[in-house]
Amino acid sequence: MGFRVIYNIDKVWFRDFGQMVGEMLDKLTETTRERGIVPLRLAFFGNPDDNGQYLEHRNWLLSLIRERCDRFGWRMPLVSYVAQKSLDSGLVMESQCVSRENSALVREHLSAEGVRYFTVETREGKRLFTEGILPSSLDAPILEQSDEVLGKLGAVLDAEKMDINTIVRQWNYIERITCVPLGEGANQHYQDFNDARSHFYARTEWKGGYPAATGIGTSHGGIMVEVDAVDLKCRKCAAVALDNALQVAAHDYSQNVLVGVADKIFRHKTTPKFERAKAVVSPESGLQVYISGTAAIRGEASLTGVGIAKQTVTTLENIEYLISRQNLRKHGIKAEKTPEIQIFRVYLKAENLLDEARRIVCEKYPGVKALYVLTDVCRDELLIEIEGVAFTAE
């Protein structure tokens, strides 16, 4: 029996936060009953005023979901709360669900550090899904938060006897990602996170390539990391790193495009350790492609001064090539058809960019559900970043 995650996006209009969450969970309850599925993980995107309200909202979310999870006919799903303002709703939720048949395979765990996560074991191997992992203090320096969060993630993987290199998808949420604090030798927040990730990843070898990943800004919430990991045992299964001939691999960027100071151990500015995409190939579950956060970058240079329309078109062209049959076959994946994109997350730098970006995305992919949120992306000159997930049945 294969195992597949079913993705969906729901939105509700502006009202009291608790009312929005309640309406969202009512929608989710209706969807799960109609489709015979249960929620594995829920990611909410909201607009708290500060870190205090962020934690208040998060606790409220957890409480309301816990109260209502019996309506799903299942256990409490994993939850992440992302401080990114929805540009076309009051609150938006990405749900990751599984069939009721598959839900019997899911095992719930709580780590010694209090991290909730699920595991699934089939003939294909073992899969692991975490909630959004937070530090003990959102006010600590970004590097300190990053080290703590990645340490918690490492402890989860150790407990499940899964190597760090089994991570196939990682979401890295970084408060004020492009901020450079005042003071001599201060690093950009993103560079601090990249340094911490480089040290964490250096604990193992990455012969199969790094995970797909998104490093994206948030208004509040410190550092939060969430992962999918896959330890495949089936001879015909594989997790394959996908390059894009149109772009330099992020982990091969030159020092010229990195912001900050050299890491004291590595003695250079560390690169973002992720692949443009990661494909999980399975005869039973089919082909799933995790599309990393993608922007209007050609080679390693951003397209500057071209406006939101050109950046959006270029970003979609990068994604289209990345998941094309031509590129999949180049990486040894014999796909009979191009994977179909299930959802998009569209990250925008300014509110006035929404209409043009949404028009272009909808014209190119009219059947794909997408969420649009306001946030900083990893380079000041980039106006948009898009990530997604694509499937094809085998």
Side-chain angles (χ1 to χ4, degrees):
M1 177 174 63
F3 187 88
R4 173 165 289 192
V5 176
I6 302 156
Y7 293 79
N8 192 38
I9 290 172
D10 284 300
K11 303 173 184 180
V12 295
W13 200 238
F14 295 91
R15 51 179 58 83
D16 174 83
F17 185 76
Q19 291 177 319
M20 289 192 295
V21 174
E23 183 179 341
M24 192 78 79
L25 295 179
D26 287 342
K27 284 188 175 186
L28 180 63
T29 301
E30 184 178 343
T31 299
T32 55
R33 286 175 178 170
E34 288 178 352
R35 300 179 63 182
I37 56 179
V38 295
L40 184 77
R41 180 161 57 199
L42 305 175
F44 291 83
F45 298 79
N47 188 33
D49 293 333
D50 52 36
N51 278 334
Q53 191 174 67
Y54 171 83
L55 292 174
E56 179 183 320
H57 280 181
R58 182 176 181 274
N59 290 335
W60 203 351
L61 269 173
L62 294 172
S63 176
L64 290 171
I65 295 168
R66 191 174 292 111
E67 288 175 5
R68 295 183 180 223
C69 65
D70 61 324
R71 300 186 187 182
F72 309 139
W74 202 56
R75 60 174 62 94
M76 173 85 174
L78 303 171
V79 178
S80 297
Y81 181 45
V82 184
Q84 294 172 343
K85 179 183 178 182
S86 175
L87 290 175
D88 59 357
S89 64
L91 186 71
V92 61
M93 177 187 73
E94 178 187 293
S95 58
Q96 301 171 18
C97 300
V98 295
S99 68
R100 290 202 175 273
E101 181 183 25
N102 275 167
S103 69
L105 302 172
V106 179
R107 299 290 176 263
E108 182 178 0
H109 307 270
L110 183 69
S111 76
E113 293 82 7
V115 177
R116 289 185 69 239
Y117 64 98
F118 292 154
T119 58
V120 176
E121 294 194 57
T122 67
R123 291 181 298 182
E124 299 172 344
K126 187 174 188 177
R127 297 174 185 252
L128 181 147
F129 306 86
T130 74
E131 66 179 349
I133 305 173
L134 290 170
S136 54
S137 171
L138 302 183
D139 298 320
I142 291 296
L143 182 59
E144 183 179 316
Q145 290 187 48
S146 302
D147 286 335
E148 181 186 353
V149 167
L150 293 171
K152 289 181 178 181
L153 171 58
V156 166
L157 294 167
D158 287 345
E160 296 301 321
K161 296 181 171 54
M162 296 176 72
D163 198 294
I164 296 170
N165 62 26
T166 61
I167 301 170
V168 290
R169 185 47 162 114
Q170 185 166 323
W171 290 268
N172 308 300
Y173 302 102
I174 302 161
E175 183 176 339
R176 297 187 302 147
I177 188 171
T178 59
C179 173
V180 180
L182 297 175
E184 186 177 352
N187 244 350
Q188 183 195 56
H189 284 185
Y190 188 42
Q191 191 59 51
D192 268 344
F193 177 81
N194 284 331
D195 288 348
R197 174 170 50 180
S198 293
H199 284 284
F200 178 62
Y201 281 6
R203 299 181 192 176
T204 190
E205 294 184 48
W206 294 86
K207 294 180 180 179
Y210 294 111
T214 302
I216 197 70
T218 58
S219 59
H220 306 289
I223 294 292
M224 183 172 69
V225 170
E226 177 187 309
V227 306
D228 291 0
V230 177
D231 190 6
L232 297 167
K233 304 298 185 185
C234 167
R235 185 175 58 85
K236 294 184 178 180
C237 298
V240 182
L242 300 181
D243 283 325
N244 188 334
L246 303 175
Q247 298 180 294
V248 172
H251 51 81
D252 287 333
Y253 281 164
S254 72
Q255 295 289 289
N256 297 332
V257 297
L258 306 176
V259 179
V261 297
D263 178 82
K264 293 179 181 178
I265 303 298
F266 290 110
R267 298 189 178 182
H268 58 74
K269 292 175 282 189
T270 65
T271 55
K273 301 295 191 295
F274 71 94
E275 306 293 346
R276 294 301 177 188
K278 200 75 177 265
V280 178
V281 184
S282 161
E284 294 189 6
S285 300
L287 170 65
Q288 175 177 356
V289 182
Y290 290 105
I291 303 165
S292 297
T294 305
I297 296 173
R298 289 293 167 85
E300 66 173 19
S302 305
L303 269 66
T304 58
V306 296
I308 185 60
K310 180 63 175 177
Q311 283 204 12
T312 304
V313 168
T314 302
T315 300
L316 293 176
E317 287 174 351
N318 285 338
I319 291 173
E320 184 176 17
Y321 176 82
L322 186 65
I323 66 172
S324 66
R325 289 175 62 203
Q326 172 191 355
N327 198 46
L328 292 172
R329 293 189 173 193
K330 179 181 175 181
H331 290 86
I333 300 172
K334 297 179 181 179
E336 297 303 319
K337 58 182 180 179
T338 300
E340 294 184 6
I341 294 172
Q342 303 298 301
I343 59 161
F344 276 140
R345 292 186 189 178
V346 182
Y347 303 102
L348 290 165
K349 180 154 287 191
E351 297 192 35
N352 63 2
L353 304 175
L354 171 64
D355 289 344
E356 186 69 358
R358 184 169 53 186
R359 178 188 67 78
I360 294 167
V361 171
C362 290
E363 285 180 0
K364 179 68 177 177
Y365 295 97
V368 175
K369 287 196 172 185
L371 62 83
Y372 297 83
V373 290
L374 176 68
T375 190
D376 279 337
V377 296
C378 61
R379 298 184 186 180
D380 286 331
E381 67 272 16
L382 292 174
L383 306 176
I384 186 170
E385 184 169 324
I386 302 176
E387 66 169 78
V389 62
F391 287 112
T392 184
E394 293 292 316

PDB file of all heavy atoms in Angstrom, residues 176-201:
ATOM      1  N   ARG A 176      12.401  38.421  10.276  1.00  0.00           N
ATOM      2  CA  ARG A 176      13.141  39.548   9.646  1.00  0.00           C
ATOM      3  C   ARG A 176      14.411  39.011   8.962  1.00  0.00           C
ATOM      4  O   ARG A 176      15.523  39.391   9.271  1.00  0.00           O
ATOM      5  CB  ARG A 176      13.465  40.613  10.683  1.00  0.00           C
ATOM      6  CG  ARG A 176      12.205  41.256  11.285  1.00  0.00           C
ATOM      7  CD  ARG A 176      12.541  42.427  12.188  1.00  0.00           C
ATOM      8  NE  ARG A 176      13.432  42.031  13.276  1.00  0.00           N
ATOM      9  CZ  ARG A 176      14.364  42.814  13.803  1.00  0.00           C
ATOM     10  NH1 ARG A 176      14.545  44.045  13.331  1.00  0.00           N
ATOM     11  NH2 ARG A 176      15.108  42.383  14.793  1.00  0.00           N
ATOM     12  N   ILE A 177      14.219  38.185   7.983  1.00  0.00           N
ATOM     13  CA  ILE A 177      15.281  37.383   7.380  1.00  0.00           C
ATOM     14  C   ILE A 177      16.455  38.207   6.849  1.00  0.00           C
ATOM     15  O   ILE A 177      17.608  37.789   6.933  1.00  0.00           O
ATOM     16  CB  ILE A 177      14.697  36.481   6.265  1.00  0.00           C
ATOM     17  CG1 ILE A 177      15.742  35.486   5.741  1.00  0.00           C
ATOM     18  CG2 ILE A 177      14.091  37.302   5.135  1.00  0.00           C
ATOM     19  CD1 ILE A 177      15.157  34.439   4.808  1.00  0.00           C
ATOM     20  N   THR A 178      16.193  39.387   6.310  1.00  0.00           N
ATOM     21  CA  THR A 178      17.277  40.186   5.726  1.00  0.00           C
ATOM     22  C   THR A 178      17.848  41.220   6.687  1.00  0.00           C
ATOM     23  O   THR A 178      18.718  42.010   6.316  1.00  0.00           O
ATOM     24  CB  THR A 178      16.803  40.902   4.447  1.00  0.00           C
ATOM     25  OG1 THR A 178      15.699  41.753   4.771  1.00  0.00           O
ATOM     26  CG2 THR A 178      16.390  39.904   3.376  1.00  0.00           C
ATOM     27  N   CYS A 179      17.405  41.203   7.930  1.00  0.00           N
ATOM     28  CA  CYS A 179      17.873  42.172   8.919  1.00  0.00           C
ATOM     29  C   CYS A 179      19.339  41.923   9.277  1.00  0.00           C
ATOM     30  O   CYS A 179      19.763  40.782   9.463  1.00  0.00           O
ATOM     31  CB  CYS A 179      17.013  42.076  10.176  1.00  0.00           C
ATOM     32  SG  CYS A 179      17.604  43.067  11.564  1.00  0.00           S
ATOM     33  N   VAL A 180      20.091  42.996   9.372  1.00  0.00           N
ATOM     34  CA  VAL A 180      21.469  42.939   9.871  1.00  0.00           C
ATOM     35  C   VAL A 180      21.527  43.783  11.139  1.00  0.00           C
ATOM     36  O   VAL A 180      21.451  45.016  11.077  1.00  0.00           O
ATOM     37  CB  VAL A 180      22.481  43.468   8.839  1.00  0.00           C
ATOM     38  CG1 VAL A 180      23.898  43.391   9.399  1.00  0.00           C
ATOM     39  CG2 VAL A 180      22.385  42.699   7.529  1.00  0.00           C
ATOM     40  N   PRO A 181      21.622  43.169  12.320  1.00  0.00           N
ATOM     41  CA  PRO A 181      21.632  43.934  13.575  1.00  0.00           C
ATOM     42  C   PRO A 181      22.808  44.899  13.636  1.00  0.00           C
ATOM     43  O   PRO A 181      23.852  44.681  12.999  1.00  0.00           O
ATOM     44  CB  PRO A 181      21.764  42.846  14.647  1.00  0.00           C
ATOM     45  CG  PRO A 181      21.299  41.593  13.989  1.00  0.00           C
ATOM     46  CD  PRO A 181      21.685  41.726  12.544  1.00  0.00           C
ATOM     47  N   LEU A 182      22.653  45.965  14.393  1.00  0.00           N
ATOM     48  CA  LEU A 182      23.730  46.927  14.576  1.00  0.00           C
ATOM     49  C   LEU A 182      24.874  46.294  15.360  1.00  0.00           C
ATOM     50  O   LEU A 182      24.667  45.456  16.228  1.00  0.00           O
ATOM     51  CB  LEU A 182      23.218  48.164  15.318  1.00  0.00           C
ATOM     52  CG  LEU A 182      22.136  48.991  14.594  1.00  0.00           C
ATOM     53  CD1 LEU A 182      21.642  50.108  15.510  1.00  0.00           C
ATOM     54  CD2 LEU A 182      22.691  49.565  13.300  1.00  0.00           C
ATOM     55  N   GLY A 183      26.082  46.691  15.038  1.00  0.00           N
ATOM     56  CA  GLY A 183      27.236  46.174  15.779  1.00  0.00           C
ATOM     57  C   GLY A 183      28.273  45.590  14.842  1.00  0.00           C
ATOM     58  O   GLY A 183      27.951  45.007  13.798  1.00  0.00           O
ATOM     59  N   GLU A 184      29.510  45.731  15.199  1.00  0.00           N
ATOM     60  CA  GLU A 184      30.613  45.242  14.381  1.00  0.00           C
ATOM     61  C   GLU A 184      30.571  43.726  14.284  1.00  0.00           C
ATOM     62  O   GLU A 184      30.388  43.017  15.273  1.00  0.00           O
ATOM     63  CB  GLU A 184      31.945  45.679  14.996  1.00  0.00           C
ATOM     64  CG  GLU A 184      33.151  45.334  14.129  1.00  0.00           C
ATOM     65  CD  GLU A 184      34.446  45.841  14.738  1.00  0.00           C
ATOM     66  OE1 GLU A 184      34.359  46.579  15.740  1.00  0.00           O
ATOM     67  OE2 GLU A 184      35.506  45.497  14.217  1.00  0.00           O
ATOM     68  N   GLY A 185      30.710  43.236  13.061  1.00  0.00           N
ATOM     69  CA  GLY A 185      30.730  41.789  12.854  1.00  0.00           C
ATOM     70  C   GLY A 185      29.367  41.132  12.902  1.00  0.00           C
ATOM     71  O   GLY A 185      29.274  39.898  12.910  1.00  0.00           O
ATOM     72  N   ALA A 186      28.303  41.936  12.922  1.00  0.00           N
ATOM     73  CA  ALA A 186      26.955  41.363  12.981  1.00  0.00           C
ATOM     74  C   ALA A 186      26.604  40.722  11.643  1.00  0.00           C
ATOM     75  O   ALA A 186      26.970  41.226  10.579  1.00  0.00           O
ATOM     76  CB  ALA A 186      25.932  42.432  13.329  1.00  0.00           C
ATOM     77  N   ASN A 187      25.895  39.628  11.701  1.00  0.00           N
ATOM     78  CA  ASN A 187      25.493  38.898  10.509  1.00  0.00           C
ATOM     79  C   ASN A 187      24.034  39.160  10.169  1.00  0.00           C
ATOM     80  O   ASN A 187      23.200  39.367  11.054  1.00  0.00           O
ATOM     81  CB  ASN A 187      25.670  37.390  10.738  1.00  0.00           C
ATOM     82  CG  ASN A 187      26.699  36.779   9.811  1.00  0.00           C
ATOM     83  OD1 ASN A 187      27.173  37.408   8.874  1.00  0.00           O
ATOM     84  ND2 ASN A 187      27.056  35.539  10.084  1.00  0.00           N
ATOM     85  N   GLN A 188      23.726  39.097   8.888  1.00  0.00           N
ATOM     86  CA  GLN A 188      22.340  39.061   8.454  1.00  0.00           C
ATOM     87  C   GLN A 188      21.665  37.847   9.098  1.00  0.00           C
ATOM     88  O   GLN A 188      22.272  36.794   9.272  1.00  0.00           O
ATOM     89  CB  GLN A 188      22.300  38.949   6.929  1.00  0.00           C
ATOM     90  CG  GLN A 188      20.909  38.974   6.329  1.00  0.00           C
ATOM     91  CD  GLN A 188      20.931  38.493   4.882  1.00  0.00           C
ATOM     92  OE1 GLN A 188      21.401  37.390   4.602  1.00  0.00           O
ATOM     93  NE2 GLN A 188      20.423  39.320   3.972  1.00  0.00           N
ATOM     94  N   HIS A 189      20.402  37.970   9.473  1.00  0.00           N
ATOM     95  CA  HIS A 189      19.686  36.855  10.097  1.00  0.00           C
ATOM     96  C   HIS A 189      19.752  35.587   9.256  1.00  0.00           C
ATOM     97  O   HIS A 189      19.958  34.489   9.781  1.00  0.00           O
ATOM     98  CB  HIS A 189      18.225  37.238  10.334  1.00  0.00           C
ATOM     99  CG  HIS A 189      18.032  38.154  11.502  1.00  0.00           C
ATOM    100  ND1 HIS A 189      16.783  38.546  11.943  1.00  0.00           N
ATOM    101  CD2 HIS A 189      18.920  38.761  12.344  1.00  0.00           C
ATOM    102  CE1 HIS A 189      16.911  39.342  12.993  1.00  0.00           C
ATOM    103  NE2 HIS A 189      18.198  39.493  13.236  1.00  0.00           N
ATOM    104  N   TYR A 190      19.568  35.736   7.938  1.00  0.00           N
ATOM    105  CA  TYR A 190      19.598  34.559   7.067  1.00  0.00           C
ATOM    106  C   TYR A 190      20.978  33.910   7.073  1.00  0.00           C
ATOM    107  O   TYR A 190      21.099  32.686   7.072  1.00  0.00           O
ATOM    108  CB  TYR A 190      19.190  34.951   5.643  1.00  0.00           C
ATOM    109  CG  TYR A 190      19.006  33.777   4.700  1.00  0.00           C
ATOM    110  CD1 TYR A 190      18.370  32.610   5.103  1.00  0.00           C
ATOM    111  CD2 TYR A 190      19.441  33.858   3.374  1.00  0.00           C
ATOM    112  CE1 TYR A 190      18.189  31.550   4.227  1.00  0.00           C
ATOM    113  CE2 TYR A 190      19.252  32.811   2.491  1.00  0.00           C
ATOM    114  CZ  TYR A 190      18.626  31.651   2.917  1.00  0.00           C
ATOM    115  OH  TYR A 190      18.445  30.609   2.043  1.00  0.00           O
ATOM    116  N   GLN A 191      22.023  34.735   7.094  1.00  0.00           N
ATOM    117  CA  GLN A 191      23.369  34.171   7.106  1.00  0.00           C
ATOM    118  C   GLN A 191      23.648  33.459   8.423  1.00  0.00           C
ATOM    119  O   GLN A 191      24.300  32.411   8.453  1.00  0.00           O
ATOM    120  CB  GLN A 191      24.419  35.254   6.851  1.00  0.00           C
ATOM    121  CG  GLN A 191      25.823  34.690   6.597  1.00  0.00           C
ATOM    122  CD  GLN A 191      25.863  33.746   5.404  1.00  0.00           C
ATOM    123  OE1 GLN A 191      25.384  34.086   4.323  1.00  0.00           O
ATOM    124  NE2 GLN A 191      26.411  32.561   5.591  1.00  0.00           N
ATOM    125  N   ASP A 192      23.152  34.003   9.527  1.00  0.00           N
ATOM    126  CA  ASP A 192      23.289  33.303  10.808  1.00  0.00           C
ATOM    127  C   ASP A 192      22.620  31.940  10.751  1.00  0.00           C
ATOM    128  O   ASP A 192      23.165  30.934  11.232  1.00  0.00           O
ATOM    129  CB  ASP A 192      22.663  34.132  11.938  1.00  0.00           C
ATOM    130  CG  ASP A 192      23.661  35.052  12.623  1.00  0.00           C
ATOM    131  OD1 ASP A 192      24.886  34.844  12.456  1.00  0.00           O
ATOM    132  OD2 ASP A 192      23.236  35.981  13.331  1.00  0.00           O
ATOM    133  N   PHE A 193      21.422  31.904  10.165  1.00  0.00           N
ATOM    134  CA  PHE A 193      20.744  30.610  10.050  1.00  0.00           C
ATOM    135  C   PHE A 193      21.530  29.662   9.141  1.00  0.00           C
ATOM    136  O   PHE A 193      21.677  28.471   9.447  1.00  0.00           O
ATOM    137  CB  PHE A 193      19.319  30.771   9.515  1.00  0.00           C
ATOM    138  CG  PHE A 193      18.633  29.443   9.330  1.00  0.00           C
ATOM    139  CD1 PHE A 193      18.062  28.795  10.416  1.00  0.00           C
ATOM    140  CD2 PHE A 193      18.608  28.816   8.095  1.00  0.00           C
ATOM    141  CE1 PHE A 193      17.478  27.551  10.269  1.00  0.00           C
ATOM    142  CE2 PHE A 193      18.026  27.569   7.937  1.00  0.00           C
ATOM    143  CZ  PHE A 193      17.462  26.937   9.029  1.00  0.00           C
ATOM    144  N   ASN A 194      22.035  30.181   8.013  1.00  0.00           N
ATOM    145  CA  ASN A 194      22.812  29.333   7.108  1.00  0.00           C
ATOM    146  C   ASN A 194      24.052  28.762   7.787  1.00  0.00           C
ATOM    147  O   ASN A 194      24.424  27.600   7.558  1.00  0.00           O
ATOM    148  CB  ASN A 194      23.222  30.123   5.858  1.00  0.00           C
ATOM    149  CG  ASN A 194      22.074  30.306   4.888  1.00  0.00           C
ATOM    150  OD1 ASN A 194      21.171  29.474   4.816  1.00  0.00           O
ATOM    151  ND2 ASN A 194      22.099  31.393   4.140  1.00  0.00           N
ATOM    152  N   ASP A 195      24.693  29.559   8.623  1.00  0.00           N
ATOM    153  CA  ASP A 195      25.861  29.057   9.358  1.00  0.00           C
ATOM    154  C   ASP A 195      25.454  27.916  10.291  1.00  0.00           C
ATOM    155  O   ASP A 195      26.118  26.874  10.352  1.00  0.00           O
ATOM    156  CB  ASP A 195      26.521  30.185  10.151  1.00  0.00           C
ATOM    157  CG  ASP A 195      27.256  31.188   9.276  1.00  0.00           C
ATOM    158  OD1 ASP A 195      27.447  30.908   8.077  1.00  0.00           O
ATOM    159  OD2 ASP A 195      27.611  32.271   9.787  1.00  0.00           O
ATOM    160  N   ALA A 196      24.355  28.111  11.019  1.00  0.00           N
ATOM    161  CA  ALA A 196      23.891  27.073  11.943  1.00  0.00           C
ATOM    162  C   ALA A 196      23.510  25.806  11.176  1.00  0.00           C
ATOM    163  O   ALA A 196      23.842  24.689  11.590  1.00  0.00           O
ATOM    164  CB  ALA A 196      22.698  27.586  12.749  1.00  0.00           C
ATOM    165  N   ARG A 197      22.814  25.966  10.061  1.00  0.00           N
ATOM    166  CA  ARG A 197      22.425  24.808   9.256  1.00  0.00           C
ATOM    167  C   ARG A 197      23.654  24.093   8.701  1.00  0.00           C
ATOM    168  O   ARG A 197      23.702  22.860   8.684  1.00  0.00           O
ATOM    169  CB  ARG A 197      21.497  25.240   8.116  1.00  0.00           C
ATOM    170  CG  ARG A 197      21.164  24.109   7.150  1.00  0.00           C
ATOM    171  CD  ARG A 197      20.064  24.466   6.164  1.00  0.00           C
ATOM    172  NE  ARG A 197      20.257  25.727   5.481  1.00  0.00           N
ATOM    173  CZ  ARG A 197      19.405  26.215   4.572  1.00  0.00           C
ATOM    174  NH1 ARG A 197      18.304  25.531   4.277  1.00  0.00           N
ATOM    175  NH2 ARG A 197      19.630  27.364   3.983  1.00  0.00           N
ATOM    176  N   SER A 198      24.648  24.839   8.258  1.00  0.00           N
ATOM    177  CA  SER A 198      25.862  24.218   7.712  1.00  0.00           C
ATOM    178  C   SER A 198      26.562  23.362   8.762  1.00  0.00           C
ATOM    179  O   SER A 198      27.040  22.262   8.469  1.00  0.00           O
ATOM    180  CB  SER A 198      26.808  25.295   7.179  1.00  0.00           C
ATOM    181  OG  SER A 198      26.259  25.935   6.046  1.00  0.00           O
ATOM    182  N   HIS A 199      26.622  23.848   9.992  1.00  0.00           N
ATOM    183  CA  HIS A 199      27.241  23.066  11.065  1.00  0.00           C
ATOM    184  C   HIS A 199      26.403  21.820  11.372  1.00  0.00           C
ATOM    185  O   HIS A 199      26.942  20.730  11.582  1.00  0.00           O
ATOM    186  CB  HIS A 199      27.408  23.921  12.319  1.00  0.00           C
ATOM    187  CG  HIS A 199      28.538  24.894  12.237  1.00  0.00           C
ATOM    188  ND1 HIS A 199      29.862  24.523  12.368  1.00  0.00           N
ATOM    189  CD2 HIS A 199      28.550  26.239  12.019  1.00  0.00           C
ATOM    190  CE1 HIS A 199      30.638  25.579  12.244  1.00  0.00           C
ATOM    191  NE2 HIS A 199      29.863  26.643  12.021  1.00  0.00           N
ATOM    192  N   PHE A 200      25.095  21.977  11.388  1.00  0.00           N
ATOM    193  CA  PHE A 200      24.203  20.848  11.656  1.00  0.00           C
ATOM    194  C   PHE A 200      24.333  19.787  10.565  1.00  0.00           C
ATOM    195  O   PHE A 200      24.474  18.593  10.852  1.00  0.00           O
ATOM    196  CB  PHE A 200      22.768  21.375  11.743  1.00  0.00           C
ATOM    197  CG  PHE A 200      21.718  20.324  11.980  1.00  0.00           C
ATOM    198  CD1 PHE A 200      21.728  19.566  13.137  1.00  0.00           C
ATOM    199  CD2 PHE A 200      20.711  20.121  11.049  1.00  0.00           C
ATOM    200  CE1 PHE A 200      20.745  18.604  13.373  1.00  0.00           C
ATOM    201  CE2 PHE A 200      19.724  19.175  11.275  1.00  0.00           C
ATOM    202  CZ  PHE A 200      19.743  18.413  12.434  1.00  0.00           C
ATOM    203  N   TYR A 201      24.322  20.218   9.317  1.00  0.00           N
ATOM    204  CA  TYR A 201      24.416  19.277   8.200  1.00  0.00           C
ATOM    205  C   TYR A 201      25.800  18.629   8.095  1.00  0.00           C
ATOM    206  O   TYR A 201      25.943  17.549   7.509  1.00  0.00           O
ATOM    207  CB  TYR A 201      24.090  19.994   6.890  1.00  0.00           C
ATOM    208  CG  TYR A 201      22.617  20.206   6.617  1.00  0.00           C
ATOM    209  CD1 TYR A 201      21.640  19.890   7.562  1.00  0.00           C
ATOM    210  CD2 TYR A 201      22.201  20.734   5.401  1.00  0.00           C
ATOM    211  CE1 TYR A 201      20.302  20.092   7.300  1.00  0.00           C
ATOM    212  CE2 TYR A 201      20.853  20.936   5.129  1.00  0.00           C
ATOM    213  CZ  TYR A 201      19.908  20.620   6.078  1.00  0.00           C
ATOM    214  OH  TYR A 201      18.582  20.818   5.809  1.00  0.00           O
TER     215      TYR A 201
END
